PDB file of all heavy atoms in Angstrom:
ATOM      1  N   MET Q   1      -3.254 -18.671   9.279  1.00  0.00           N
ATOM      2  CA  MET Q   1      -2.742 -17.333   9.027  1.00  0.00           C
ATOM      3  C   MET Q   1      -3.852 -16.412   8.529  1.00  0.00           C
ATOM      4  O   MET Q   1      -4.600 -16.766   7.633  1.00  0.00           O
ATOM      5  CB  MET Q   1      -1.608 -17.333   8.000  1.00  0.00           C
ATOM      6  CG  MET Q   1      -0.323 -17.981   8.578  1.00  0.00           C
ATOM      7  SD  MET Q   1       0.974 -18.026   7.316  1.00  0.00           S
ATOM      8  CE  MET Q   1       1.144 -16.316   6.933  1.00  0.00           C
ATOM      9  N   ASN Q   2      -3.908 -15.299   9.126  1.00  0.00           N
ATOM     10  CA  ASN Q   2      -4.853 -14.313   8.642  1.00  0.00           C
ATOM     11  C   ASN Q   2      -4.321 -13.506   7.457  1.00  0.00           C
ATOM     12  O   ASN Q   2      -3.202 -13.024   7.481  1.00  0.00           O
ATOM     13  CB  ASN Q   2      -5.269 -13.343   9.729  1.00  0.00           C
ATOM     14  CG  ASN Q   2      -6.081 -14.056  10.819  1.00  0.00           C
ATOM     15  OD1 ASN Q   2      -6.766 -15.039  10.539  1.00  0.00           O
ATOM     16  ND2 ASN Q   2      -6.006 -13.555  12.031  1.00  0.00           N
ATOM     17  N   GLN Q   3      -5.172 -13.354   6.449  1.00  0.00           N
ATOM     18  CA  GLN Q   3      -4.798 -12.548   5.302  1.00  0.00           C
ATOM     19  C   GLN Q   3      -5.369 -11.188   5.500  1.00  0.00           C
ATOM     20  O   GLN Q   3      -6.563 -10.968   5.566  1.00  0.00           O
ATOM     21  CB  GLN Q   3      -5.281 -13.161   4.005  1.00  0.00           C
ATOM     22  CG  GLN Q   3      -5.072 -12.296   2.830  1.00  0.00           C
ATOM     23  CD  GLN Q   3      -3.976 -12.827   1.906  1.00  0.00           C
ATOM     24  OE1 GLN Q   3      -3.697 -14.037   1.961  1.00  0.00           O
ATOM     25  NE2 GLN Q   3      -3.381 -12.040   1.067  1.00  0.00           N
ATOM     26  N   GLU Q   4      -4.542 -10.168   5.610  1.00  0.00           N
ATOM     27  CA  GLU Q   4      -5.037  -8.820   5.776  1.00  0.00           C
ATOM     28  C   GLU Q   4      -5.592  -8.298   4.468  1.00  0.00           C
ATOM     29  O   GLU Q   4      -5.057  -8.610   3.414  1.00  0.00           O
ATOM     30  CB  GLU Q   4      -3.938  -7.885   6.242  1.00  0.00           C
ATOM     31  CG  GLU Q   4      -3.355  -8.364   7.593  1.00  0.00           C
ATOM     32  CD  GLU Q   4      -2.893  -7.169   8.367  1.00  0.00           C
ATOM     33  OE1 GLU Q   4      -3.103  -6.002   7.996  1.00  0.00           O
ATOM     34  OE2 GLU Q   4      -2.261  -7.402   9.423  1.00  0.00           O
ATOM     35  N   PRO Q   5      -6.668  -7.543   4.493  1.00  0.00           N
ATOM     36  CA  PRO Q   5      -7.237  -6.995   3.302  1.00  0.00           C
ATOM     37  C   PRO Q   5      -6.252  -6.029   2.660  1.00  0.00           C
ATOM     38  O   PRO Q   5      -5.621  -5.210   3.356  1.00  0.00           O
ATOM     39  CB  PRO Q   5      -8.475  -6.261   3.713  1.00  0.00           C
ATOM     40  CG  PRO Q   5      -8.323  -6.045   5.245  1.00  0.00           C
ATOM     41  CD  PRO Q   5      -7.368  -7.136   5.705  1.00  0.00           C
ATOM     42  N   LEU Q   6      -6.124  -6.123   1.354  1.00  0.00           N
ATOM     43  CA  LEU Q   6      -5.189  -5.272   0.607  1.00  0.00           C
ATOM     44  C   LEU Q   6      -5.831  -3.947   0.370  1.00  0.00           C
ATOM     45  O   LEU Q   6      -7.003  -3.849   0.109  1.00  0.00           O
ATOM     46  CB  LEU Q   6      -4.801  -5.867  -0.623  1.00  0.00           C
ATOM     47  CG  LEU Q   6      -4.006  -7.229  -0.520  1.00  0.00           C
ATOM     48  CD1 LEU Q   6      -3.621  -7.737  -1.930  1.00  0.00           C
ATOM     49  CD2 LEU Q   6      -2.738  -7.047   0.310  1.00  0.00           C
ATOM     50  N   ASN Q   7      -5.000  -2.901   0.340  1.00  0.00           N
ATOM     51  CA  ASN Q   7      -5.462  -1.582  -0.136  1.00  0.00           C
ATOM     52  C   ASN Q   7      -5.481  -1.530  -1.679  1.00  0.00           C
ATOM     53  O   ASN Q   7      -4.704  -2.342  -2.313  1.00  0.00           O
ATOM     54  CB  ASN Q   7      -4.619  -0.492   0.444  1.00  0.00           C
ATOM     55  CG  ASN Q   7      -4.769  -0.405   1.975  1.00  0.00           C
ATOM     56  OD1 ASN Q   7      -5.860  -0.380   2.430  1.00  0.00           O
ATOM     57  ND2 ASN Q   7      -3.666  -0.358   2.652  1.00  0.00           N
ATOM     58  N   PRO Q   8      -6.188  -0.671  -2.237  1.00  0.00           N
ATOM     59  CA  PRO Q   8      -6.281  -0.621  -3.749  1.00  0.00           C
ATOM     60  C   PRO Q   8      -4.897  -0.386  -4.404  1.00  0.00           C
ATOM     61  O   PRO Q   8      -4.640  -0.913  -5.487  1.00  0.00           O
ATOM     62  CB  PRO Q   8      -7.155   0.581  -4.030  1.00  0.00           C
ATOM     63  CG  PRO Q   8      -8.029   0.723  -2.812  1.00  0.00           C
ATOM     64  CD  PRO Q   8      -7.181   0.227  -1.651  1.00  0.00           C
ATOM     65  N   GLY Q   9      -3.959   0.237  -3.667  1.00  0.00           N
ATOM     66  CA  GLY Q   9      -2.675   0.519  -4.225  1.00  0.00           C
ATOM     67  C   GLY Q   9      -1.656  -0.568  -3.990  1.00  0.00           C
ATOM     68  O   GLY Q   9      -0.520  -0.489  -4.490  1.00  0.00           O
ATOM     69  N   ASP Q  10      -2.057  -1.606  -3.304  1.00  0.00           N
ATOM     70  CA  ASP Q  10      -1.139  -2.695  -3.013  1.00  0.00           C
ATOM     71  C   ASP Q  10      -1.086  -3.712  -4.138  1.00  0.00           C
ATOM     72  O   ASP Q  10      -2.062  -4.069  -4.695  1.00  0.00           O
ATOM     73  CB  ASP Q  10      -1.553  -3.451  -1.711  1.00  0.00           C
ATOM     74  CG  ASP Q  10      -1.334  -2.601  -0.492  1.00  0.00           C
ATOM     75  OD1 ASP Q  10      -0.474  -1.670  -0.575  1.00  0.00           O
ATOM     76  OD2 ASP Q  10      -1.985  -2.893   0.498  1.00  0.00           O
ATOM     77  N   ASP Q  11       0.107  -4.166  -4.488  1.00  0.00           N
ATOM     78  CA  ASP Q  11       0.291  -5.202  -5.455  1.00  0.00           C
ATOM     79  C   ASP Q  11       0.173  -6.546  -4.834  1.00  0.00           C
ATOM     80  O   ASP Q  11      -0.197  -7.571  -5.468  1.00  0.00           O
ATOM     81  CB  ASP Q  11       1.651  -5.072  -6.168  1.00  0.00           C
ATOM     82  CG  ASP Q  11       1.667  -4.004  -7.239  1.00  0.00           C
ATOM     83  OD1 ASP Q  11       0.580  -3.592  -7.649  1.00  0.00           O
ATOM     84  OD2 ASP Q  11       2.759  -3.560  -7.618  1.00  0.00           O
ATOM     85  N   ALA Q  12       0.572  -6.659  -3.561  1.00  0.00           N
ATOM     86  CA  ALA Q  12       0.591  -7.930  -2.884  1.00  0.00           C
ATOM     87  C   ALA Q  12       0.500  -7.710  -1.363  1.00  0.00           C
ATOM     88  O   ALA Q  12       0.591  -6.553  -0.889  1.00  0.00           O
ATOM     89  CB  ALA Q  12       1.860  -8.690  -3.215  1.00  0.00           C
ATOM     90  N   ALA Q  13       0.352  -8.758  -0.636  1.00  0.00           N
ATOM     91  CA  ALA Q  13       0.250  -8.620   0.812  1.00  0.00           C
ATOM     92  C   ALA Q  13       1.658  -8.276   1.387  1.00  0.00           C
ATOM     93  O   ALA Q  13       2.672  -8.666   0.821  1.00  0.00           O
ATOM     94  CB  ALA Q  13      -0.197  -9.902   1.410  1.00  0.00           C
ATOM     95  N   PRO Q  14       1.645  -7.480   2.424  1.00  0.00           N
ATOM     96  CA  PRO Q  14       2.904  -7.164   3.083  1.00  0.00           C
ATOM     97  C   PRO Q  14       3.703  -8.413   3.429  1.00  0.00           C
ATOM     98  O   PRO Q  14       3.127  -9.366   3.977  1.00  0.00           O
ATOM     99  CB  PRO Q  14       2.526  -6.416   4.365  1.00  0.00           C
ATOM    100  CG  PRO Q  14       1.147  -5.832   4.008  1.00  0.00           C
ATOM    101  CD  PRO Q  14       0.528  -6.804   3.145  1.00  0.00           C
ATOM    102  N   GLY Q  15       4.955  -8.398   3.110  1.00  0.00           N
ATOM    103  CA  GLY Q  15       5.837  -9.578   3.494  1.00  0.00           C
ATOM    104  C   GLY Q  15       5.922 -10.567   2.320  1.00  0.00           C
ATOM    105  O   GLY Q  15       6.670 -11.522   2.428  1.00  0.00           O
ATOM    106  N   THR Q  16       5.162 -10.320   1.252  1.00  0.00           N
ATOM    107  CA  THR Q  16       5.282 -11.214   0.083  1.00  0.00           C
ATOM    108  C   THR Q  16       6.666 -11.136  -0.526  1.00  0.00           C
ATOM    109  O   THR Q  16       7.166  -9.982  -0.774  1.00  0.00           O
ATOM    110  CB  THR Q  16       4.229 -10.852  -0.970  1.00  0.00           C
ATOM    111  OG1 THR Q  16       2.956 -10.925  -0.379  1.00  0.00           O
ATOM    112  CG2 THR Q  16       4.316 -11.767  -2.180  1.00  0.00           C
ATOM    113  N   PRO Q  17       7.351 -12.236  -0.716  1.00  0.00           N
ATOM    114  CA  PRO Q  17       8.693 -12.223  -1.391  1.00  0.00           C
ATOM    115  C   PRO Q  17       8.657 -11.461  -2.722  1.00  0.00           C
ATOM    116  O   PRO Q  17       7.718 -11.656  -3.476  1.00  0.00           O
ATOM    117  CB  PRO Q  17       8.994 -13.707  -1.594  1.00  0.00           C
ATOM    118  CG  PRO Q  17       8.210 -14.409  -0.540  1.00  0.00           C
ATOM    119  CD  PRO Q  17       6.972 -13.616  -0.380  1.00  0.00           C
ATOM    120  N   GLY Q  18       9.629 -10.648  -2.921  1.00  0.00           N
ATOM    121  CA  GLY Q  18       9.690  -9.889  -4.152  1.00  0.00           C
ATOM    122  C   GLY Q  18       8.913  -8.629  -4.170  1.00  0.00           C
ATOM    123  O   GLY Q  18       8.791  -7.952  -5.188  1.00  0.00           O
ATOM    124  N   THR Q  19       8.448  -8.278  -3.008  1.00  0.00           N
ATOM    125  CA  THR Q  19       7.724  -6.989  -2.892  1.00  0.00           C
ATOM    126  C   THR Q  19       8.282  -6.163  -1.790  1.00  0.00           C
ATOM    127  O   THR Q  19       8.985  -6.664  -0.896  1.00  0.00           O
ATOM    128  CB  THR Q  19       6.185  -7.234  -2.618  1.00  0.00           C
ATOM    129  OG1 THR Q  19       6.050  -7.777  -1.352  1.00  0.00           O
ATOM    130  CG2 THR Q  19       5.539  -8.124  -3.713  1.00  0.00           C
ATOM    131  N   GLY Q  20       7.954  -4.864  -1.807  1.00  0.00           N
ATOM    132  CA  GLY Q  20       8.411  -3.994  -0.719  1.00  0.00           C
ATOM    133  C   GLY Q  20       7.504  -2.803  -0.630  1.00  0.00           C
ATOM    134  O   GLY Q  20       6.710  -2.522  -1.472  1.00  0.00           O
ATOM    135  N   GLU Q  21       7.684  -2.125   0.509  1.00  0.00           N
ATOM    136  CA  GLU Q  21       6.863  -0.959   0.734  1.00  0.00           C
ATOM    137  C   GLU Q  21       7.346   0.227  -0.130  1.00  0.00           C
ATOM    138  O   GLU Q  21       8.555   0.371  -0.357  1.00  0.00           O
ATOM    139  CB  GLU Q  21       6.902  -0.523   2.190  1.00  0.00           C
ATOM    140  CG  GLU Q  21       6.106  -1.391   3.065  1.00  0.00           C
ATOM    141  CD  GLU Q  21       6.079  -0.859   4.530  1.00  0.00           C
ATOM    142  OE1 GLU Q  21       6.876  -0.002   4.862  1.00  0.00           O
ATOM    143  OE2 GLU Q  21       5.199  -1.286   5.311  1.00  0.00           O
ATOM    144  N   ASP Q  22       6.437   1.035  -0.568  1.00  0.00           N
ATOM    145  CA  ASP Q  22       6.793   2.235  -1.329  1.00  0.00           C
ATOM    146  C   ASP Q  22       5.866   3.341  -0.883  1.00  0.00           C
ATOM    147  O   ASP Q  22       4.782   3.056  -0.309  1.00  0.00           O
ATOM    148  CB  ASP Q  22       6.636   1.904  -2.839  1.00  0.00           C
ATOM    149  CG  ASP Q  22       7.485   2.892  -3.662  1.00  0.00           C
ATOM    150  OD1 ASP Q  22       8.082   3.814  -3.081  1.00  0.00           O
ATOM    151  OD2 ASP Q  22       7.457   2.796  -4.881  1.00  0.00           O
ATOM    152  N   ILE Q  23       6.284   4.516  -1.098  1.00  0.00           N
ATOM    153  CA  ILE Q  23       5.456   5.674  -0.713  1.00  0.00           C
ATOM    154  C   ILE Q  23       4.251   5.670  -1.697  1.00  0.00           C
ATOM    155  O   ILE Q  23       4.408   5.472  -2.922  1.00  0.00           O
ATOM    156  CB  ILE Q  23       6.239   6.945  -0.904  1.00  0.00           C
ATOM    157  CG1 ILE Q  23       7.412   7.007   0.093  1.00  0.00           C
ATOM    158  CG2 ILE Q  23       5.331   8.193  -0.709  1.00  0.00           C
ATOM    159  CD1 ILE Q  23       6.940   7.031   1.554  1.00  0.00           C
ATOM    160  N   CYS Q  24       3.076   5.878  -1.116  1.00  0.00           N
ATOM    161  CA  CYS Q  24       1.883   5.956  -1.971  1.00  0.00           C
ATOM    162  C   CYS Q  24       1.984   7.150  -2.896  1.00  0.00           C
ATOM    163  O   CYS Q  24       2.205   8.260  -2.512  1.00  0.00           O
ATOM    164  CB  CYS Q  24       0.700   6.093  -0.978  1.00  0.00           C
ATOM    165  SG  CYS Q  24      -0.888   6.358  -1.927  1.00  0.00           S
ATOM    166  N   PRO Q  25       1.820   6.821  -4.216  1.00  0.00           N
ATOM    167  CA  PRO Q  25       2.007   7.887  -5.198  1.00  0.00           C
ATOM    168  C   PRO Q  25       0.801   8.838  -5.232  1.00  0.00           C
ATOM    169  O   PRO Q  25       0.832   9.922  -5.776  1.00  0.00           O
ATOM    170  CB  PRO Q  25       2.099   7.105  -6.525  1.00  0.00           C
ATOM    171  CG  PRO Q  25       1.291   5.871  -6.314  1.00  0.00           C
ATOM    172  CD  PRO Q  25       1.519   5.555  -4.782  1.00  0.00           C
ATOM    173  N   VAL Q  26      -0.306   8.425  -4.626  1.00  0.00           N
ATOM    174  CA  VAL Q  26      -1.515   9.194  -4.688  1.00  0.00           C
ATOM    175  C   VAL Q  26      -1.542  10.304  -3.705  1.00  0.00           C
ATOM    176  O   VAL Q  26      -1.748  11.486  -3.932  1.00  0.00           O
ATOM    177  CB  VAL Q  26      -2.803   8.365  -4.517  1.00  0.00           C
ATOM    178  CG1 VAL Q  26      -4.054   9.202  -4.476  1.00  0.00           C
ATOM    179  CG2 VAL Q  26      -2.919   7.338  -5.630  1.00  0.00           C
ATOM    180  N   CYS Q  27      -1.116   9.976  -2.419  1.00  0.00           N
ATOM    181  CA  CYS Q  27      -1.057  10.949  -1.341  1.00  0.00           C
ATOM    182  C   CYS Q  27       0.306  11.432  -0.987  1.00  0.00           C
ATOM    183  O   CYS Q  27       0.515  12.299  -0.182  1.00  0.00           O
ATOM    184  CB  CYS Q  27      -1.777  10.409  -0.106  1.00  0.00           C
ATOM    185  SG  CYS Q  27      -0.901   8.958   0.590  1.00  0.00           S
ATOM    186  N   GLY Q  28       1.334  10.776  -1.618  1.00  0.00           N
ATOM    187  CA  GLY Q  28       2.694  11.242  -1.404  1.00  0.00           C
ATOM    188  C   GLY Q  28       3.214  10.811  -0.044  1.00  0.00           C
ATOM    189  O   GLY Q  28       4.162  11.358   0.435  1.00  0.00           O
ATOM    190  N   GLY Q  29       2.569   9.788   0.534  1.00  0.00           N
ATOM    191  CA  GLY Q  29       3.047   9.262   1.867  1.00  0.00           C
ATOM    192  C   GLY Q  29       2.407   9.959   3.046  1.00  0.00           C
ATOM    193  O   GLY Q  29       2.731   9.584   4.179  1.00  0.00           O
ATOM    194  N   THR Q  30       1.463  10.884   2.836  1.00  0.00           N
ATOM    195  CA  THR Q  30       0.854  11.538   3.940  1.00  0.00           C
ATOM    196  C   THR Q  30      -0.277  10.709   4.458  1.00  0.00           C
ATOM    197  O   THR Q  30      -0.681  10.862   5.625  1.00  0.00           O
ATOM    198  CB  THR Q  30       0.336  12.927   3.528  1.00  0.00           C
ATOM    199  OG1 THR Q  30      -0.655  12.735   2.534  1.00  0.00           O
ATOM    200  CG2 THR Q  30       1.459  13.756   2.958  1.00  0.00           C
ATOM    201  N   GLY Q  31      -0.843   9.861   3.653  1.00  0.00           N
ATOM    202  CA  GLY Q  31      -1.986   9.061   4.129  1.00  0.00           C
ATOM    203  C   GLY Q  31      -3.316   9.800   4.044  1.00  0.00           C
ATOM    204  O   GLY Q  31      -4.337   9.177   4.291  1.00  0.00           O
ATOM    205  N   THR Q  32      -3.256  11.038   3.676  1.00  0.00           N
ATOM    206  CA  THR Q  32      -4.517  11.767   3.535  1.00  0.00           C
ATOM    207  C   THR Q  32      -4.510  12.600   2.289  1.00  0.00           C
ATOM    208  O   THR Q  32      -3.476  12.982   1.783  1.00  0.00           O
ATOM    209  CB  THR Q  32      -4.712  12.782   4.763  1.00  0.00           C
ATOM    210  OG1 THR Q  32      -3.609  13.612   4.848  1.00  0.00           O
ATOM    211  CG2 THR Q  32      -4.887  11.968   6.040  1.00  0.00           C
ATOM    212  N   ILE Q  33      -5.713  12.866   1.762  1.00  0.00           N
ATOM    213  CA  ILE Q  33      -5.883  13.787   0.607  1.00  0.00           C
ATOM    214  C   ILE Q  33      -6.857  14.850   1.108  1.00  0.00           C
ATOM    215  O   ILE Q  33      -8.039  14.580   1.289  1.00  0.00           O
ATOM    216  CB  ILE Q  33      -6.428  13.003  -0.629  1.00  0.00           C
ATOM    217  CG1 ILE Q  33      -5.435  11.969  -1.024  1.00  0.00           C
ATOM    218  CG2 ILE Q  33      -6.663  14.010  -1.717  1.00  0.00           C
ATOM    219  CD1 ILE Q  33      -5.860  11.138  -2.220  1.00  0.00           C
ATOM    220  N   GLY Q  34      -6.356  15.972   1.273  1.00  0.00           N
ATOM    221  CA  GLY Q  34      -7.226  17.036   1.830  1.00  0.00           C
ATOM    222  C   GLY Q  34      -7.558  16.647   3.279  1.00  0.00           C
ATOM    223  O   GLY Q  34      -6.693  16.439   4.113  1.00  0.00           O
ATOM    224  N   ASP Q  35      -8.864  16.570   3.534  1.00  0.00           N
ATOM    225  CA  ASP Q  35      -9.326  16.208   4.875  1.00  0.00           C
ATOM    226  C   ASP Q  35      -9.678  14.713   5.009  1.00  0.00           C
ATOM    227  O   ASP Q  35     -10.082  14.269   6.064  1.00  0.00           O
ATOM    228  CB  ASP Q  35     -10.512  17.041   5.257  1.00  0.00           C
ATOM    229  CG  ASP Q  35     -10.179  18.461   5.493  1.00  0.00           C
ATOM    230  OD1 ASP Q  35      -8.954  18.762   5.830  1.00  0.00           O
ATOM    231  OD2 ASP Q  35     -11.007  19.391   5.239  1.00  0.00           O
ATOM    232  N   ALA Q  36      -9.555  14.013   3.895  1.00  0.00           N
ATOM    233  CA  ALA Q  36     -10.039  12.632   3.875  1.00  0.00           C
ATOM    234  C   ALA Q  36      -8.823  11.654   3.817  1.00  0.00           C
ATOM    235  O   ALA Q  36      -7.740  11.953   3.308  1.00  0.00           O
ATOM    236  CB  ALA Q  36     -10.922  12.380   2.653  1.00  0.00           C
ATOM    237  N   ALA Q  37      -9.020  10.525   4.351  1.00  0.00           N
ATOM    238  CA  ALA Q  37      -8.009   9.449   4.288  1.00  0.00           C
ATOM    239  C   ALA Q  37      -7.826   8.978   2.837  1.00  0.00           C
ATOM    240  O   ALA Q  37      -8.797   8.909   2.060  1.00  0.00           O
ATOM    241  CB  ALA Q  37      -8.384   8.222   5.145  1.00  0.00           C
ATOM    242  N   CYS Q  38      -6.582   8.784   2.418  1.00  0.00           N
ATOM    243  CA  CYS Q  38      -6.228   8.325   1.100  1.00  0.00           C
ATOM    244  C   CYS Q  38      -6.857   6.887   0.917  1.00  0.00           C
ATOM    245  O   CYS Q  38      -6.519   5.941   1.760  1.00  0.00           O
ATOM    246  CB  CYS Q  38      -4.751   8.328   0.847  1.00  0.00           C
ATOM    247  SG  CYS Q  38      -4.272   7.655  -0.685  1.00  0.00           S
ATOM    248  N   THR Q  39      -7.552   6.714  -0.113  1.00  0.00           N
ATOM    249  CA  THR Q  39      -8.169   5.343  -0.284  1.00  0.00           C
ATOM    250  C   THR Q  39      -7.204   4.441  -1.057  1.00  0.00           C
ATOM    251  O   THR Q  39      -7.376   3.212  -0.939  1.00  0.00           O
ATOM    252  CB  THR Q  39      -9.458   5.455  -1.189  1.00  0.00           C
ATOM    253  OG1 THR Q  39      -9.187   6.108  -2.372  1.00  0.00           O
ATOM    254  CG2 THR Q  39     -10.543   6.238  -0.390  1.00  0.00           C
ATOM    255  N   ASN Q  40      -6.204   4.941  -1.695  1.00  0.00           N
ATOM    256  CA  ASN Q  40      -5.265   4.150  -2.395  1.00  0.00           C
ATOM    257  C   ASN Q  40      -4.414   3.278  -1.433  1.00  0.00           C
ATOM    258  O   ASN Q  40      -4.138   2.153  -1.704  1.00  0.00           O
ATOM    259  CB  ASN Q  40      -4.339   5.008  -3.299  1.00  0.00           C
ATOM    260  CG  ASN Q  40      -3.519   4.149  -4.224  1.00  0.00           C
ATOM    261  OD1 ASN Q  40      -4.032   3.381  -5.019  1.00  0.00           O
ATOM    262  ND2 ASN Q  40      -2.190   4.328  -4.139  1.00  0.00           N
ATOM    263  N   CYS Q  41      -4.051   3.916  -0.369  1.00  0.00           N
ATOM    264  CA  CYS Q  41      -3.141   3.208   0.565  1.00  0.00           C
ATOM    265  C   CYS Q  41      -3.862   2.909   1.888  1.00  0.00           C
ATOM    266  O   CYS Q  41      -3.297   2.377   2.821  1.00  0.00           O
ATOM    267  CB  CYS Q  41      -1.904   4.068   0.863  1.00  0.00           C
ATOM    268  SG  CYS Q  41      -2.283   5.671   1.594  1.00  0.00           S
ATOM    269  N   GLY Q  42      -5.117   3.324   1.955  1.00  0.00           N
ATOM    270  CA  GLY Q  42      -5.923   3.048   3.192  1.00  0.00           C
ATOM    271  C   GLY Q  42      -5.471   3.959   4.316  1.00  0.00           C
ATOM    272  O   GLY Q  42      -5.726   3.660   5.473  1.00  0.00           O
ATOM    273  N   GLY Q  43      -4.795   5.058   3.988  1.00  0.00           N
ATOM    274  CA  GLY Q  43      -4.415   6.021   5.026  1.00  0.00           C
ATOM    275  C   GLY Q  43      -3.005   5.732   5.670  1.00  0.00           C
ATOM    276  O   GLY Q  43      -2.605   6.415   6.563  1.00  0.00           O
ATOM    277  N   SER Q  44      -2.355   4.653   5.159  1.00  0.00           N
ATOM    278  CA  SER Q  44      -1.056   4.325   5.743  1.00  0.00           C
ATOM    279  C   SER Q  44       0.053   5.202   5.139  1.00  0.00           C
ATOM    280  O   SER Q  44       1.100   5.292   5.760  1.00  0.00           O
ATOM    281  CB  SER Q  44      -0.747   2.840   5.508  1.00  0.00           C
ATOM    282  OG  SER Q  44      -0.565   2.589   4.148  1.00  0.00           O
ATOM    283  N   GLY Q  45      -0.183   5.699   3.938  1.00  0.00           N
ATOM    284  CA  GLY Q  45       0.840   6.480   3.279  1.00  0.00           C
ATOM    285  C   GLY Q  45       1.822   5.592   2.542  1.00  0.00           C
ATOM    286  O   GLY Q  45       2.739   6.058   1.948  1.00  0.00           O
ATOM    287  N   LYS Q  46       1.624   4.305   2.590  1.00  0.00           N
ATOM    288  CA  LYS Q  46       2.518   3.350   1.976  1.00  0.00           C
ATOM    289  C   LYS Q  46       1.753   2.319   1.225  1.00  0.00           C
ATOM    290  O   LYS Q  46       0.635   1.948   1.588  1.00  0.00           O
ATOM    291  CB  LYS Q  46       3.440   2.681   2.986  1.00  0.00           C
ATOM    292  CG  LYS Q  46       4.463   3.603   3.601  1.00  0.00           C
ATOM    293  CD  LYS Q  46       5.255   2.881   4.686  1.00  0.00           C
ATOM    294  CE  LYS Q  46       4.436   2.532   5.885  1.00  0.00           C
ATOM    295  NZ  LYS Q  46       5.252   2.007   7.016  1.00  0.00           N
ATOM    296  N   VAL Q  47       2.317   1.858   0.137  1.00  0.00           N
ATOM    297  CA  VAL Q  47       1.680   0.727  -0.629  1.00  0.00           C
ATOM    298  C   VAL Q  47       2.755  -0.326  -0.844  1.00  0.00           C
ATOM    299  O   VAL Q  47       3.931  -0.102  -0.736  1.00  0.00           O
ATOM    300  CB  VAL Q  47       1.172   1.224  -1.972  1.00  0.00           C
ATOM    301  CG1 VAL Q  47      -0.013   2.214  -1.780  1.00  0.00           C
ATOM    302  CG2 VAL Q  47       2.284   1.915  -2.804  1.00  0.00           C
ATOM    303  N   ILE Q  48       2.275  -1.543  -1.126  1.00  0.00           N
ATOM    304  CA  ILE Q  48       3.184  -2.661  -1.448  1.00  0.00           C
ATOM    305  C   ILE Q  48       3.348  -2.763  -2.969  1.00  0.00           C
ATOM    306  O   ILE Q  48       2.333  -2.973  -3.657  1.00  0.00           O
ATOM    307  CB  ILE Q  48       2.643  -3.991  -0.820  1.00  0.00           C
ATOM    308  CG1 ILE Q  48       2.318  -3.760   0.621  1.00  0.00           C
ATOM    309  CG2 ILE Q  48       3.677  -5.091  -1.051  1.00  0.00           C
ATOM    310  CD1 ILE Q  48       3.519  -3.370   1.456  1.00  0.00           C
ATOM    311  N   HIS Q  49       4.590  -2.703  -3.420  1.00  0.00           N
ATOM    312  CA  HIS Q  49       4.894  -2.780  -4.815  1.00  0.00           C
ATOM    313  C   HIS Q  49       5.766  -3.955  -5.094  1.00  0.00           C
ATOM    314  O   HIS Q  49       6.654  -4.292  -4.341  1.00  0.00           O
ATOM    315  CB  HIS Q  49       5.468  -1.523  -5.312  1.00  0.00           C
ATOM    316  CG  HIS Q  49       4.467  -0.467  -5.752  1.00  0.00           C
ATOM    317  ND1 HIS Q  49       4.855   0.770  -6.138  1.00  0.00           N
ATOM    318  CD2 HIS Q  49       3.130  -0.489  -5.817  1.00  0.00           C
ATOM    319  CE1 HIS Q  49       3.768   1.521  -6.417  1.00  0.00           C
ATOM    320  NE2 HIS Q  49       2.680   0.752  -6.215  1.00  0.00           N
ATOM    321  N   GLY Q  50       5.585  -4.610  -6.247  1.00  0.00           N
ATOM    322  CA  GLY Q  50       6.501  -5.666  -6.655  1.00  0.00           C
ATOM    323  C   GLY Q  50       7.834  -5.052  -7.007  1.00  0.00           C
ATOM    324  O   GLY Q  50       7.901  -3.958  -7.583  1.00  0.00           O
ATOM    325  N   ILE Q  51       8.926  -5.749  -6.715  1.00  0.00           N
ATOM    326  CA  ILE Q  51      10.261  -5.333  -7.043  1.00  0.00           C
ATOM    327  C   ILE Q  51      10.766  -6.136  -8.209  1.00  0.00           C
ATOM    328  O   ILE Q  51      10.683  -7.368  -8.237  1.00  0.00           O
ATOM    329  CB  ILE Q  51      11.216  -5.522  -5.807  1.00  0.00           C
ATOM    330  CG1 ILE Q  51      10.739  -4.692  -4.603  1.00  0.00           C
ATOM    331  CG2 ILE Q  51      12.640  -5.126  -6.200  1.00  0.00           C
ATOM    332  CD1 ILE Q  51      11.485  -4.901  -3.320  1.00  0.00           C
ATOM    333  N   GLY Q  52      11.305  -5.415  -9.168  1.00  0.00           N
ATOM    334  CA  GLY Q  52      11.757  -6.092 -10.393  1.00  0.00           C
ATOM    335  C   GLY Q  52      10.607  -6.476 -11.283  1.00  0.00           C
ATOM    336  O   GLY Q  52       9.487  -6.042 -11.084  1.00  0.00           O
ATOM    337  N   GLY Q  53      10.831  -7.260 -12.251  1.00  0.00           N
ATOM    338  CA  GLY Q  53       9.789  -7.621 -13.167  1.00  0.00           C
ATOM    339  C   GLY Q  53       9.285  -9.010 -12.896  1.00  0.00           C
ATOM    340  O   GLY Q  53       9.938  -9.981 -13.128  1.00  0.00           O
ATOM    341  N   ALA Q  54       8.091  -9.123 -12.419  1.00  0.00           N
ATOM    342  CA  ALA Q  54       7.505 -10.419 -12.114  1.00  0.00           C
ATOM    343  C   ALA Q  54       6.438 -10.792 -13.140  1.00  0.00           C
ATOM    344  O   ALA Q  54       5.811  -9.828 -13.636  1.00  0.00           O
ATOM    345  CB  ALA Q  54       6.979 -10.458 -10.734  1.00  0.00           C
TER     346      ALA Q  54
HETATM  347 ZN1   ZN I 101      -2.106   7.119  -0.220  1.00  0.00          ZN
END
């Protein structure tokens, strides 16, 4: 299995149990900040966050 590189805003790899996608708080889900790609989410506009308290 290939492990995809995580973006800085990700808590875990996509599909990890107990985690889910959330809107990137840095770019607000747009994937860009001004003219540049958001580095927190890698330009996807979404980040992976843990659900509940782990
Ligand atoms: Zn972002």
Side-chain angles (χ1 to χ4, degrees):
M1 288 177 60
N2 289 333
Q3 174 108 21
E4 300 211 7
L6 297 180
N7 294 313
D10 290 336
D11 282 343
T16 301
T19 65
E21 284 186 344
D22 202 357
I23 297 295
C24 175
V26 176
C27 64
T30 63
T32 56
I33 298 178
D35 291 332
C38 175
T39 55
N40 188 58
C41 61
S44 68
K46 290 176 291 188
V47 291
I48 308 301
H49 274 175
I51 298 172

